[in-house]
Amino acid sequence: ATMPGVNQHGERMRKFKNKGKDTAALRRQRVEVTIELRKAKKDEQILKRRSISFSLMDESLSPGEDKRHETAQLSLEKIAEAVNGSNTELQLQATQATRRMLSRQKDPPINQIIELGIIPRLVEFLTRADNALLQFEAAWALTNIASGTSDHTKAVVEAGAIPAFISLLSSPHMHISEQSVWALGNIAGDGPLYRDALINCSVIPPLLALVSPVTPVGFLRNITWTLSNLCRNKNPYPPLNAMKKMLPVLICLMKHEDKDIISDSCWAVSYLTDGSNDRIQIVVDTGILPRLVELMASPELIIMTPALRAVGNVVTGTDEQTQAAIDAGVLAVLPSLLRHAKPSIQKEAAWMLSNIAAGPAQQIQQLITCGLLPPLVELLDKGDFKAQKEAVWAVANFTTGGTEEQVVELVQSGVLKPLLNLLLAKDSKTVLIILDTISNLFLTAEKLGETERLCLLVEELDGLEKIEALQTHDNNMVYRAALNIIEKYFSGE
Amino acid sequence: LLFFQRVLLLVASDVDALCACKILQALFQCDHVQYTLVPVSGWQELETAFLEHKDQFKYFVLINCGANVDLLEILQPEEDTYFFVCDSHRPINVVNVYNDTQIKLLVKQDDDLDVPAYDDIFRDEEDEEEDSENESDGSEPSEKRRRFEEDVIERTMKRRQRREWEARRREILFDYEQYEYHGTSSAMVMFDLAWIMSKDLNDMLWWAIVGLTDQWVQDKITQMKYVTDIGILQRHVSRHNHRNEDEENSLSIDCMRIAFEYDLRLALYQHWSLYESLCNTSYTSASLKLWSVQGQKRLREFLADMGLPLKQVKQKFNSMDISLKENLREMIEESANKFGMKDLRVQTFSIHFGFKNKFSASDIVYATASLMENTEKEGPETTNFIKALDSLSRGNLDKLHQGLDLAKKQLCAIQQTVASCICTNLVISQGPFLYCALMEGTPDVKLFSKPVSLCLLSKYLLKSFVCSTKNKRCKLLPLIMAAPMDVEQGTVIMVGIPPETESSDKKNFFGRAFEKAADSTNSRTLHNHFDMSIIELKTEDRSKFLDALISLLS
């Protein structure tokens, strides 16, 4: 029964680079875990999401509003009949009625419309360059069908919508081209398969061509969101050359003043940095890190969150990549983020700190110099529990990679008290890491001949009784680690 | 209403308020509640009194003031301050109605308030913000997004709905606030409270009667309402007074007895001479048109018809021959009917105490009101108030008699002013309303700078004018009356009263009209009185203010 625990511990131990394991593996693993959590949370949010407001609306639609109420009353059979018929006026009315049903707030009848079999016909309407109204209504209706489940999106794609929408990106009517951007965004957001299908159909060049200094803000928001979906998802990651094409434009968008555009372009970059080190390198090479670090300090949560995520991903990379983030000033921003009111920000910042602390002694030194120890101790003491766990990791990594002097400084900053307090945590993984950290501290103390002082300190801070109590812990690993410390350092007299 | 904290009592200057105050004071005494009484004659004094006392007091009782404005808005009280409002002014401000924490309204349960429904006038602000700001949580963008029914159109629809709602709200509030009127007398409401707590005493009942009678004398309520409330009080009167009915002779000096009566609608006649009362009662004076020679002749004919010698009629009522007095009421009524005065008989109550003290409820109203607005200055403003309040206690007969004397003077002054206004054609039709302005230098003009006296004068004048004019249209018009208020400051006091018709609902639209006219002309006005239909303004601004009123009401 104790075997899985042993394996777990073995896995965790592998992640300490000073134990001779690969640093990148340590960093990767932690990213993987967090991403999974994010995804689970995100899925439930999709249901609640509402459309972001759109400023772009063609005037041609505003008149005749009353008439549209009538058309909405058309029955599904009548719609099918009209859409399949040859009367263009009736086609428009039916398409409009379909679109209206699909855009009502409550229970859009997506399945019924698919079952009606009119999707191929709607896709065909996209190509009616002579009838802009019909094109627009069809594009909107298809957008909303593609916004549903994977099956819904599939119905649209399999009717041949991808090339039709891509060619509409170059429509002379801006509202049609914007609607196509939206539809393509929904298709790209379905997953890596359709994302790459779009990329293979050369969606990127005409999409990027829409970004210009005169593009209206609402339109730009749409484009940015669609681009972010083209950067999104792994297994596989988006093709490298697609990424290289989009990055310059994304970096441009990140300098926009609209917060939604900044936010979505940051999310796009956070997806691109959420990969192997060579992908991180491509982003670092663009020189965007200083801007990202600047955005990490934004008062807007919707900007701060993805910027923090993106830079956090960068410091999971090589020591050089981490150094680039440090050089961009990330350490100056971190203290306030560690003290942020929102637990999720605290946690994310602490995660970043733990990855920097996993670096070489010189980076640990910068961390000390930039005053990160006090906020770390505070977080350990009073932070949100998830953030505390990340802070424990930071301390653990610090004691593994830091020099003797650096470890002494860590202890002097008061880290021991909150760390020992966390031995009471219910989470045995965290308790194990703390015990490992204490062992590390004793190793350093032994080298400095200060073992007795450390023993006294631990005793004074009521650490000894806590460690003793852990000898009866259910978890075998915990109990053994605790026993080990007691036997080695506290059984003298 | 059990307080263990000291309470501040803010009481308006009208007889009904005084009566309610007397009842509440008796209740407080009963429960050993500590209180401080501050008379307030208008909004300014109310605000000042509140500001002065808000640090020492948490509980405020407002009598006949405060219901018809947004109290929280004008007083800006702390959150732990509470207002108990007993006020007959209608309509009640909707915020006061729907505030269920700081404002407690004392209202009779069966009073029909017609308050608009909450949802029609209040809207939760959250509804508005619904779709604008739910993006700021910093979570990842959604992978797919549906485009909803055109945002632009939807928002326009929302805005249109909102506009429609607001227009409807304005309409509802306009309808609700358009007319000013009065609900159940505060003294009666307070008596009800005492009765519910089983602490009602005969004295309290008498004050309730005087409060109701005040509303009737001041013409604040409809005949219907008056008769209904009289009926309610009559049941209390018989409950409290049946014990003594058979043993009238055994009345000791401490005892008091209240009796329901069909009495003559002749002001103060039991403390005056019949002749003087006939001359100075609005109803008889207007009906007989006493301001004219023919009127005087008619009065003599009327007296002759009753067979009363002029000598008897002109001497003090108390000294009249007992034999004449026996069937007096019936005789007068009979003759009055012949002279077109069919409503000379009224339902009222009288009080007996001591050996010879008998007063009718209206006697007390006239006396107390005159004491309150006594212009023969002695000491600070509050002296009048306290004196008036004291005169309501049985033990203060001297004050009551002083009040009766003042009341006679007041009624004479009113009658003379009415006569001179009519004889010199001072009442002029302005189109939508009649207008009469008293000049500086008119006899007794000082008396009419006071709101209650001016209102009384206006009502008597309108009644007389309606009897005197042959113009049918003019008979249906409301009246605005102006009198000099403060010569040094150059201000006039102006009051608007509803038309004098038999079916009058006593609802007054001048409050809103004054407000609008003042706004549109930038007139320097002051809405200081608890009755919104009384306004103070700069004399120079009067004509433009009136012009605005005319065009507003035409």
Side-chain angles (χ1 to χ4, degrees):
Chain A
T2 56
M3 282 313 284
V6 176
N7 284 341
Q8 240 177 9
H9 190 240
E11 236 173 53
R12 182 54 83 194
M13 294 312 268
R14 258 205 308 280
K15 285 160 207 155
F16 288 83
K17 52 188 161 187
N18 280 21
K19 300 248 186 312
K21 302 297 170 187
D22 175 43
T23 325
L26 154 72
R27 285 171 172 165
R28 277 271 51 76
Q29 172 82 14
R30 308 197 20 70
V31 176
E32 220 71 4
V33 170
T34 40
I35 290 298
E36 261 171 41
L37 287 172
R38 278 165 212 154
K39 177 132 191 178
K41 206 176 126 205
K42 172 189 63 198
D43 286 342
E44 70 194 43
Q45 266 162 356
I46 287 174
L47 297 171
K48 291 186 233 154
R49 270 309 171 89
R50 291 275 156 105
S51 149
I52 305 168
S53 68
F54 264 75
S55 59
L56 184 92
M57 187 52 225
D58 199 300
E59 298 78 28
S60 63
L61 272 173
S62 302
E65 195 194 311
D66 296 333
K67 212 164 66 184
R68 288 162 56 208
H69 280 284
E70 292 159 29
T71 58
Q73 305 300 325
L74 283 177
S75 70
L76 289 174
E77 297 79 54
K78 283 266 167 60
I79 286 177
E81 203 184 307
V83 166
N84 291 320
S86 53
N87 182 326
T88 42
E89 181 54 35
L90 289 179
Q91 286 173 350
L92 176 62
Q93 275 183 25
T95 309
Q96 207 164 57
T98 309
R99 183 267 293 165
R100 301 196 85 242
M101 282 190 274
L102 291 169
S103 35
R104 68 180 185 220
Q105 299 271 343
K106 269 189 177 172
D107 317 319
I110 299 184
N111 283 323
Q112 287 104 299
I113 298 291
I114 293 174
E115 281 160 21
L116 219 51
I118 59 170
I119 292 184
R121 198 64 177 154
L122 293 177
V123 172
E124 193 191 320
F125 290 166
L126 293 179
T127 62
R128 295 274 189 85
D130 57 326
N131 193 340
L133 264 177
L134 187 60
Q135 278 184 312
F136 175 70
E137 294 291 349
W140 185 347
L142 290 169
T143 301
N144 284 6
I145 296 170
S147 75
T149 64
S150 275
D151 283 343
H152 297 156
T153 312
K154 193 174 164 193
V156 173
V157 172
E158 291 189 342
I162 290 182
F165 274 124
I166 290 179
S167 71
L168 276 187
L169 288 177
S170 322
S171 164
H173 304 283
M174 190 159 55
H175 65 290
I176 293 175
S177 124
E178 178 175 9
Q179 195 57 55
S180 306
V181 168
W182 192 327
L184 291 167
N186 278 341
I187 296 170
D190 188 63
L193 198 65
Y194 284 159
R195 179 200 65 202
D196 290 347
L198 286 172
I199 292 171
N200 288 332
C201 287
S202 306
V203 73
I204 293 176
L207 187 60
L208 295 181
L210 293 172
V211 179
S212 85
V214 295
T215 315
V217 171
F219 196 172
L220 268 188
R221 286 181 191 150
N222 241 344
I223 297 168
T224 313
W225 170 72
T226 296
L227 281 173
S228 79
N229 270 355
L230 287 169
C231 297
R232 198 166 179 166
N233 291 313
K234 351 181 182 181
N235 306 316
Y237 289 104
L240 274 178
N241 62 339
M243 170 181 172
K244 284 176 186 161
K245 275 185 204 152
M246 288 187 283
L247 253 179
V249 176
L250 285 170
I251 279 157
C252 220
L253 290 167
M254 209 182 281
K255 291 171 183 159
H256 201 277
E257 56 195 14
D258 180 77
K259 57 180 185 177
D260 292 319
I261 293 175
I262 299 174
S263 174
D264 279 356
S265 51
C266 283
W267 279 110
V269 172
S270 81
Y271 301 144
L272 295 179
T273 49
D274 183 8
S276 57
N277 289 352
D278 51 331
R279 286 175 186 269
I280 293 177
Q281 192 56 45
I282 292 169
V283 173
V284 172
D285 286 343
T286 62
I288 194 60
L289 279 178
R291 174 62 177 164
L292 278 172
V293 168
E294 180 191 334
L295 294 174
M296 272 171 65
S298 164
E300 297 287 350
L301 212 52
I302 62 166
I303 293 173
M304 172 201 283
T305 306
L308 178 58
R309 180 78 54 89
V311 179
N313 286 340
V314 169
V315 300
T316 65
T318 63
D319 289 345
E320 292 71 31
Q321 288 163 350
T322 306
Q323 190 58 45
I326 294 174
D327 294 342
V330 70
L331 293 179
V333 181
L334 267 185
S336 68
L337 298 184
L338 290 168
R339 293 174 170 128
H340 197 275
K342 227 174 138 69
S344 62
I345 299 289
Q346 290 178 11
K347 192 198 77 183
E348 200 84 3
W351 169 61
M352 184 186 283
L353 185 62
S354 77
N355 276 331
I356 298 171
Q362 161 225 340
Q363 283 174 6
I364 292 179
Q365 189 54 47
Q366 276 184 292
L367 200 145
I368 296 172
T369 313
C370 290
L372 266 301
L373 288 185
L376 174 63
V377 171
E378 277 172 44
L379 192 67
L380 218 45
D381 189 19
K382 293 198 182 74
D384 170 73
F385 180 61
K386 281 181 187 161
Q388 283 177 321
K389 285 206 293 197
E390 297 292 349
V392 167
W393 273 109
V395 176
N397 289 347
F398 191 111
T399 56
T400 336
T403 63
E404 284 151 22
E405 293 77 26
Q406 286 166 346
V407 173
V408 168
E409 195 149 353
L410 176 71
V411 173
Q412 282 171 345
S413 72
V415 80
L416 213 46
K417 187 168 192 253
L419 193 68
L420 291 169
N421 280 339
L422 280 170
L423 282 174
L424 298 173
K426 299 268 180 289
D427 179 48
S428 45
K429 260 190 209 170
T430 304
V431 173
L432 252 183
I433 301 162
I434 297 172
L435 291 174
D436 280 340
T437 306
I438 294 169
S439 295
N440 284 342
L441 291 176
F442 272 112
L443 284 177
T444 307
E446 269 179 319
K447 284 183 202 156
L448 296 168
E450 298 276 14
T451 312
E452 227 160 280
R453 259 181 73 188
L454 185 59
C455 283
L456 269 175
L457 196 55
V458 171
E459 252 189 285
E460 270 173 33
L461 295 170
D462 305 325
L464 180 55
E465 58 186 68
K466 288 185 185 108
I467 299 170
E468 279 175 335
L470 288 175
Q471 294 180 102
T472 60
H473 199 275
D474 291 343
N475 186 308
N476 206 19
M477 295 301 306
V478 172
Y479 129 75
R480 241 183 271 167
L483 188 67
N484 188 33
I485 292 172
I486 300 284
E487 280 181 345
K488 233 172 150 182
Y489 304 106
F490 293 96
S491 56
E493 300 96 78
Chain B
L1 245 153
L2 270 178
F3 303 115
F4 297 99
Q5 281 212 11
R6 217 176 153 82
V7 177
L8 192 74
L9 218 54
L10 297 163
V11 183
S13 304
D14 65 78
V15 177
D16 180 37
L18 293 183
C19 293
C21 173
K22 289 295 280 188
I23 298 172
L24 187 59
Q25 283 179 301
L27 287 174
F28 277 167
Q29 201 172 11
C30 211
D31 290 339
H32 308 287
V33 177
Q34 304 251 326
Y35 65 90
T36 299
L37 170 64
V38 178
V40 286
S41 67
W43 294 114
Q44 284 183 327
E45 283 184 23
L46 177 64
E47 277 174 59
T48 315
F50 176 75
L51 288 178
E52 272 174 19
H53 295 91
K54 66 173 182 177
D55 294 332
Q56 300 100 285
F57 292 86
K58 294 283 165 231
Y59 295 98
F60 294 82
V61 176
L62 276 64
I63 299 182
N64 270 359
C65 54
N68 53 348
V69 297
D70 184 351
L71 273 182
L72 300 184
E73 173 70 27
I74 66 161
L75 297 181
Q76 303 282 331
E78 300 289 323
E79 276 187 15
D80 57 348
T81 301
Y82 300 91
F83 297 94
F84 295 81
V85 181
C86 180
D87 185 3
S88 71
H89 287 98
R90 300 289 181 274
I92 300 178
N93 181 281
V94 288
V95 179
N96 290 346
V97 173
Y98 287 113
N99 179 301
D100 51 6
T101 49
Q102 291 189 264
I103 310 261
K104 317 278 179 194
L105 296 167
L106 273 69
V107 181
K108 244 183 118 117
Q109 244 168 10
D110 38 1
D111 264 13
D112 195 3
L113 299 177
D114 287 326
V115 182
Y118 181 87
D119 290 333
D120 286 341
I121 43 175
F122 297 105
R123 213 173 145 119
D124 293 328
E125 291 304 318
E126 284 161 34
D127 293 357
E128 326 292 296
E129 305 302 322
E130 189 186 17
D131 53 358
S132 63
E133 223 29 77
N134 54 5
E135 278 298 308
S136 55
D137 58 349
S139 58
E140 223 173 330
S142 45
E143 287 165 330
K144 294 177 186 174
R145 300 175 308 161
R146 193 152 61 90
R147 181 169 186 172
F148 291 101
E149 183 47 61
E150 187 43 51
D151 292 323
V152 177
I153 291 170
E154 200 145 280
R155 213 158 292 160
T156 328
M157 293 277 279
K158 256 190 181 166
R159 228 176 291 142
R160 187 190 301 161
Q161 277 169 5
R162 162 111 204 155
R163 268 201 304 273
E164 279 165 10
W165 182 84
E166 274 169 357
R168 203 172 111 76
R169 175 181 193 269
R170 272 195 297 277
E171 212 167 283
I172 290 171
L173 279 184
F174 179 84
D175 287 347
Y176 177 65
E177 292 173 342
Q178 187 182 12
Y179 292 104
E180 199 185 354
Y181 64 102
H182 284 269
T184 301
S185 131
S186 290
M188 276 186 71
V189 173
M190 210 54 96
F191 177 78
D192 244 32
L193 190 69
W195 179 46
I196 289 164
M197 301 192 302
S198 304
K199 288 182 173 153
D200 55 321
L201 303 170
N202 216 11
D203 272 314
M204 297 181 188
L205 178 54
W206 177 244
W207 291 320
I209 288 168
V210 175
L212 170 63
T213 309
D214 178 52
Q215 287 193 314
W216 180 72
V217 168
Q218 306 290 339
D219 207 24
K220 283 177 177 168
I221 50 171
T222 62
Q223 188 65 24
M224 184 68 159
K225 171 78 174 151
Y226 175 67
V227 172
T228 311
D229 285 352
I230 283 280
I232 293 169
L233 290 175
Q234 197 181 348
R235 284 193 287 281
H236 288 298
V237 166
S238 47
R239 190 167 56 84
H240 273 277
N241 296 278
H242 68 94
R243 195 166 38 90
N244 294 334
E245 240 156 46
D246 304 327
E247 28 189 327
E248 208 169 326
N249 297 332
S250 68
L251 269 181
S252 81
I253 196 143
D254 301 324
C255 263
M256 67 100 110
R257 200 170 71 88
I258 302 172
F260 172 79
E261 284 185 352
Y262 282 101
D263 204 350
L264 294 168
R265 182 195 263 199
L266 291 176
L268 307 174
Y269 75 96
Q270 294 181 77
H271 312 277
W272 221 344
S273 74
L274 203 52
Y275 183 81
E276 283 167 301
S277 179
L278 278 167
C279 287
N280 294 301
T281 295
S282 153
Y283 181 68
T284 45
S285 141
S287 303
L288 296 167
K289 304 184 183 127
L290 291 184
W291 52 86
S292 64
V293 182
Q294 280 86 358
Q296 292 295 330
K297 200 175 137 213
R298 254 192 304 277
L299 174 61
R300 284 194 295 276
E301 285 165 11
F302 174 61
L303 293 171
D305 188 79
M306 285 188 287
L308 290 176
L310 206 55
K311 194 182 157 208
Q312 282 288 334
V313 173
K314 282 191 172 173
Q315 73 172 310
K316 276 192 132 193
F317 185 80
N318 273 340
S319 324
M320 257 173 88
D321 274 358
I322 304 280
S323 56
L324 286 175
K325 279 201 272 191
E326 249 170 35
N327 299 316
L328 187 70
R329 285 183 198 170
E330 289 74 17
M331 277 160 54
I332 293 186
E333 267 179 63
E334 205 185 312
S335 301
N337 272 332
K338 289 186 206 160
F339 283 77
M341 296 184 284
K342 295 193 174 62
D343 300 319
L344 202 59
R345 198 173 73 154
V346 289
Q347 302 177 40
T348 184
F349 297 92
S350 64
I351 185 172
H352 289 257
F353 58 91
F355 292 114
K356 55 170 184 163
N357 299 306
K358 184 190 176 206
F359 298 95
S360 92
S362 64
D363 294 340
I364 309 291
V365 169
Y366 285 116
T368 310
S370 299
L371 284 171
M372 204 161 46
E373 294 202 336
N374 187 4
T375 45
E376 296 160 16
K377 268 271 160 67
E378 4 173 346
E381 197 68 35
T382 52
T383 324
N384 283 344
F385 180 93
I386 299 298
K387 221 174 191 176
L389 191 65
D390 286 347
S391 77
L392 287 169
S393 301
R394 269 185 288 145
N396 294 316
L397 265 180
D398 52 332
K399 282 178 185 143
L400 180 55
H401 282 296
Q402 195 193 341
L404 286 172
D405 289 340
L406 281 170
K408 289 176 201 165
K409 280 186 200 159
Q410 183 200 40
L411 287 174
C412 290
I414 288 177
Q415 264 341 295
Q416 276 155 22
T417 311
V418 166
S420 84
C421 286
I422 290 192
C423 293
T424 56
N425 293 318
L426 270 183
V427 181
I428 31 181
S429 168
Q430 295 281 17
F433 54 85
L434 302 167
Y435 178 67
C436 175
L438 295 183
M439 299 300 165
E440 187 58 47
T442 315
D444 305 307
V445 75
K446 202 168 165 216
L447 182 63
F448 302 118
S449 66
K450 302 280 181 177
V452 176
S453 302
L454 182 63
C455 284
L456 217 49
L457 169 67
S458 309
K459 298 212 156 134
Y460 288 8
L461 177 61
L462 183 57
K463 213 172 263 183
S464 299
F465 178 80
V466 168
C467 289
S468 80
T469 186
K470 292 190 175 62
N471 185 330
K472 283 207 175 116
R473 208 183 69 85
C474 282
K475 283 183 200 284
L476 302 173
L477 291 179
L479 169 72
I480 292 179
M481 185 138 202
M485 177 148 168
D486 189 318
V487 187
E488 278 164 36
Q489 293 186 352
T491 53
V492 289
I493 178 170
M494 210 178 251
V495 57
I497 57 167
E500 179 68 33
T501 55
E502 277 196 25
S503 58
S504 170
D505 56 5
K506 313 290 179 195
K507 291 193 173 179
N508 193 333
F509 58 77
F510 279 114
R512 293 292 149 200
F514 284 173
E515 223 169 58
K516 280 191 185 154
D519 279 351
S520 66
T521 55
N522 281 326
S523 299
R524 288 158 292 175
T525 59
L526 184 60
H527 241 146
N528 188 30
H529 292 264
F530 299 128
D531 282 315
M532 294 306 192
S533 55
I534 303 175
I535 197 172
E536 298 167 16
L537 78 162
K538 284 277 183 192
T539 317
E540 309 101 81
D541 292 346
R542 177 161 52 174
S543 58
K544 69 173 176 185
F545 179 79
L546 281 172
D547 287 344
L549 263 184
I550 292 167
S551 63
L552 189 70
L553 297 172
S554 293

